[in-house]
Amino acid sequence: MIHQRGSLDWALQSSVNQLHICSISLSLLLLFRSSGSEPPYDLFQKILHQRNLQISGRSQSRLFLRIMERTVVTQFIYPALQAPPPTLSFVDQFAFRPTGSPTAAIISFLNSVTKLLLTNPYVIVISLDFSKAFDRVRHSTLMHKVALLDIPDNAFNWMVDFLNGHSHCTVYSGTASTFKDITASIIQGSSFGPAAYVINTGDLQPVIPGNSLCKFADDTYLIIPASNWTSRQAEINNIQTWATANNLSLNCTKSSEIIFVDPRRKRHIDVPPLLSDIARVDSLKILGVTFSRNLSASEHIGNILKSCSQSMYALRLLRAHGMCEAAIQTIFRSVIIAKLTYAASAWRGFTKASDRQRIDALLRRSKRSGFYATHLPMFDELCDIADEQLFDKVQTNIFHILRSLLPPESPASQNYSLRPRVHNLQLPDHVNHLADSNFFVRMLFKNVY
């Protein structure tokens, strides 16, 4: 209940609120002090300044718990992921990381596939589906992996306490069942849950050298070059064994296999036989972006243009019901522009000029209809802005998840005083059109001269 400001009840509620605030701040401070880490005093200052926080005690508890979770994740878990033990690896996990994103995952995925196509006639990719992955993470197995990380004991104990003490029951027709302890699943909506799932998948690794994995949360892609095609079943068996040990289930009926090839190679390719329980497809949706077996994104553009046309019909209805032009343009940018540019830095290089012209045609119609302001940029300019922002982040952040894909600095830039350039990195060789379509190759050659 919120009481009138200045009343006795309001003063009492404010005092109780302040006690709650001081209590959580003291808990956070003790957590950092006992771990030897530098406390984030700016965060404590913001909390302590909430003297007149007019929310209920239950809402306050949720708010402070969320602050506590976020603090533990950012100050303890994320730094520990940078230097994992030998049994865990997070270089192939792109979800719930400070610099991770679907764009980064797709860029890394395409870089791996195109690099393998240089020396292999085809590359096999198997999209793996785990049934209810977040609901079946076993707490004991998870905390065993957390114990391997360089995390202070008090932070580890907080995580154990965070997962313990939860139970559930079922109520039907006024009758309640007995309570059962919850020993698996990740609490949805928490800050700790996503980071916990990242840790849980840290020991899922391929068993055959040359094969690799690309993970984004529970979306997992197994990449196998043609030279290792006989290892497909061994890798799938390894993943099934890992899933069973971690209380997960690999759903083969929802998994799929695709064989990527270089369309400019004219010689005949003998593809491996079909798997018994995983279907083979001609196109695969990778984190929302559809690629054909020729690594073309044309089908993806057709899908998003169809979706955008449906959204524009909804905008016409909103305008017919009296919505102002400014609000309609805001919705257009929030919905349609977001669809068009989603992960565009990753797939833009794998499109044809005719594909991009179709997007520009949609934007020109939108400008004539008043949905999109006339002074705003077209598709290529929107992508250029996003490309430059991402490239700058990778260059300036040594801990960026894509940092390993950058080439080293050129010897000339280290030994000579050269004129200023966009970057001082070595330029890769032009090997084929697929490699040149990758994000970093495009950006390394862009405006370099």
Side-chain angles (χ1 to χ4, degrees), residues 104-118 223 295 346 350 402 404-406 434-435 437-441:
I106 300 173
I107 288 174
S108 177
F109 172 86
L110 293 173
N111 181 79
S112 299
V113 172
T114 54
K115 184 180 295 185
L116 290 174
L117 282 174
L118 295 177
I223 305 173
L295 279 177
F350 295 86
L402 294 176
S404 60
L405 300 183
L406 281 181
L434 287 179
S437 301
N438 280 314
F439 170 75
F440 283 108
V441 176

Side-chain angles (χ1 to χ4, degrees), residues 2 5 22 55 58 83 107 124 146 151 169 189 212 221 279 289 301 355 369 418 432:
I2 299 178
R5 186 180 182 90
C22 292
I55 57 177
R58 181 175 296 181
I107 288 174
I124 304 168
V146 174
I151 293 179
C169 71
S212 61
Y221 302 92
V289 180
I301 290 181
D355 296 329
S369 302
L418 304 176
N432 65 10

